[in-house]
């Protein structure tokens, strides 16, 4: 049976998206299979990152590829297991963020511009990632938020959040799918 990878992605307001995720104790074949499935879903949706709760699994695993720009471009996937933000500082920057769990909307989110993250890779090596003023800096913070039950709209002021949720509902009603950042009128 062929399944559309986009159907694997959990949409807001699924309860799994607002839960604290469990750390991964052992990098076994299940964890490797989960990473593979998430990368497949992320590339299918043309996303630059995906967190395990977005496929319904409440575990601390994130996949990221900020070099991927669609079919034909080269892939440079990162798999982050139990990632921790060691430093988040630098001037705050506002970026228009999208999320595969909120198809059809882009919202302005302010975050620190510099971040240092430590995480294990699939081989169990502890890796350090540092990013400043770029998509990776935003993506790391956005995806790690997901592991703690936080989504991009939680960063908005209450009135902005209400508006974003209304836009999201309208986008869903218009048939938005994961990876759509804006719905054509
Ligand atoms: Zn997201």
């Amino acid at each position: 049976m062929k399944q559309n990878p986009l159907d694997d992605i959990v949409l807001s307001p699924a309860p799994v998206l607002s839960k604290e995720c469990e750390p991964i104790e052992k990098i076994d074949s299940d964890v490797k299979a989960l990473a593979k499935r998430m990368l497949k879903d992320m590339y299918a949706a043309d996303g630059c990152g995906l967190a395990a709760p977005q496929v319904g699994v409440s575990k601390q695993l994130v996949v990221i590829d900020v070099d991927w720009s669609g079919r034909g471009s080269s892939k440079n996937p990162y798999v982050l297991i139990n990632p921790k933000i060691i430093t988040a500082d630098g001037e705050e920057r506002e970026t228009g963020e999208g999320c595969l769990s909120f198809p059809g909307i882009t919202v302005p989110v302010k975050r620190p511009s510099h971040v240092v993250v430590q995480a294990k890779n699939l081989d169990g090596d502890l890796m350090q990632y540092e990013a400043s003023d770029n998509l990776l800096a935003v993506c790391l913070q956005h995806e790690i938020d997901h592991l703690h039950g936080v989504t991009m709209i939680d960063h908005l002021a209450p009135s902005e959040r209400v508006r974003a949720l209304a836009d999201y509902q309208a986008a869903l009603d218009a048939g938005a799918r994961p990876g759509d950042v804006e719905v054509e009128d």
Side-chain angles (χ1 to χ4, degrees), residues 30-172:
D30 286 351
V31 170
K32 288 176 183 163
L34 174 63
K36 198 174 164 195
R37 169 183 160 200
M38 287 168 57
L39 283 167
K40 186 177 170 202
D41 294 348
M42 180 184 77
Y43 288 124
D46 279 338
C48 61
L50 190 66
Q54 293 182 275
V55 297
V57 179
S58 196
K59 293 241 161 80
Q60 293 192 15
L61 196 152
V62 156
V63 295
I64 288 178
D65 190 341
V66 289
D67 295 325
W68 169 253
S69 55
R71 214 174 291 271
S73 69
S74 59
K75 292 178 181 175
N76 181 21
Y78 297 160
V79 176
L80 286 80
I81 295 166
N82 303 337
K84 282 191 179 52
I85 294 182
I86 305 298
T87 305
D89 58 11
E91 209 174 304
E92 294 228 315
R93 293 259 189 280
E94 189 176 275
T95 312
E97 293 186 22
C99 179
L100 296 181
S101 295
F102 289 87
I105 62 166
T106 305
V107 298
V109 179
K110 271 199 192 107
R111 298 183 190 272
S113 54
H114 170 248
V115 68
V116 178
V117 169
Q118 283 184 352
K120 282 193 172 172
N121 65 14
L122 279 177
D123 297 321
D125 304 319
L126 187 65
M127 308 289 286
Q128 183 158 300
Y129 302 87
E130 181 164 14
S132 203
D133 269 320
N134 56 17
L135 179 60
L136 182 60
V138 174
C139 199
L140 284 165
Q141 294 177 77
H142 177 119
E143 300 309 332
I144 293 170
D145 268 356
H146 274 300
L147 305 182
H148 304 291
V150 175
T151 64
M152 59 183 192
I153 60 157
D154 297 318
H155 289 277
L156 302 177
S159 61
E160 290 173 7
R161 192 179 313 142
V162 168
R163 199 177 328 132
L165 285 172
D167 289 349
Y168 170 54
Q169 191 54 55
L172 282 185

